[in-house]
Amino acid sequence: QIDPMAASMLTLVMALATRKGIENATGLRSEIKWPNDLVLNKKKICGILTEMSAQIDYINYVVIGTGINVNQMEFPEEIAEIATSLAIEMGHSVNRAKVVAAVLEAFEEDYEKFLEAGDLSGLKEAYEAVLANKDQPVRVLDPKEPFEGVALGITPTGELRVQKEDGTITEVHSGEVSVRGLYSYV
């Protein structure tokens, strides 16, 4: 029911819903690292990828893959310093079905708001309130020209607004954005 050009925004809708669902199921308050990761205590706890098959004017399907580290008690050495799980953070195993149910319930609510607005404007305030990047120094690994700046928030269509060191504001549509102090940027 949505325009193919709007499908990429579903990644942000799912990030917000997953963050909310995890909190509702466990009490843990994660943050969103734009556009598709959740972090908890400065470590990655969830990644989200969206895949779509579409024609010019309609979508055949959209699949939103959401990987939440739930009951892992250890990680391979190469990611042990940058990844965590709900079980590690809580000190005990977690009921995965309860987490999934809470995430899907939150997604249903947020998806309805997304459909009503036709973009992220109805979710923008809630998204920015839990955006780990907001008002933080960021490094944008743009393939053309990497740059640093401060993340200001998102646009109603999901781009990250970044104020560059020269004062100009640019909208980042895609690419890796590292946040100082989080797992990928020292």
Side-chain angles (χ1 to χ4, degrees):
Q1 297 176 343
I2 62 173
D3 185 283
M5 297 301 290
S8 64
M9 290 182 260
L10 291 175
T11 301
L12 283 75
V13 174
M14 186 53 135
L16 184 60
T18 302
R19 195 220 63 79
K20 191 185 319 178
I22 288 171
E23 182 177 0
N24 290 345
T26 67
L28 295 172
R29 293 185 51 88
S30 58
E31 295 178 294
I32 300 170
K33 178 187 166 284
W34 181 92
N36 61 338
D37 290 344
L38 295 183
V39 294
L40 185 59
N41 293 326
K42 301 185 180 192
K43 292 183 176 185
K44 185 172 178 175
I45 197 158
C46 174
I48 299 165
L49 296 174
T50 303
E51 183 179 311
M52 172 179 72
S53 170
Q55 305 302 318
I56 291 174
D57 56 349
Y58 69 93
I59 295 173
N60 296 321
Y61 65 83
V62 175
V63 176
I64 307 171
T66 307
I68 304 169
N69 298 335
V70 179
N71 285 321
Q72 297 88 332
M73 290 307 289
E74 57 185 55
F75 290 91
E77 185 178 327
E78 61 271 12
I79 64 169
E81 293 296 315
I82 61 171
T84 191
S85 71
L86 300 178
I88 289 171
E89 298 299 323
M90 295 192 72
H92 58 78
S93 64
V94 175
N95 182 322
R96 292 184 308 181
K98 184 177 176 183
V99 174
V100 170
V103 168
L104 291 175
E105 185 176 305
F107 181 77
E108 188 174 350
E109 291 172 16
D110 289 349
Y111 183 66
E112 286 299 321
K113 291 176 185 174
F114 170 75
L115 288 179
E116 285 173 24
D119 62 15
L120 298 169
S121 57
L123 299 168
K124 185 177 179 296
E125 185 177 327
Y127 187 94
E128 288 180 343
V130 294
L131 180 60
N133 314 54
K134 187 151 179 6
D135 301 323
Q136 299 298 314
V138 294
R139 179 180 297 146
V140 179
L141 303 178
D142 186 311
K144 296 177 190 168
E145 179 185 341
F147 63 91
E148 294 189 6
V150 174
L152 303 176
I154 62 168
T155 67
T157 52
E159 293 84 9
L160 184 67
R161 296 179 63 243
V162 177
Q163 183 171 17
K164 293 182 175 181
E165 292 172 335
D166 66 5
T168 61
I169 296 173
T170 188
E171 295 176 359
V172 180
H173 300 273
S174 64
E176 180 64 29
V177 175
S178 298
V179 183
R180 189 173 309 242
L182 291 184
Y183 57 88
S184 59
Y185 178 23
V186 179

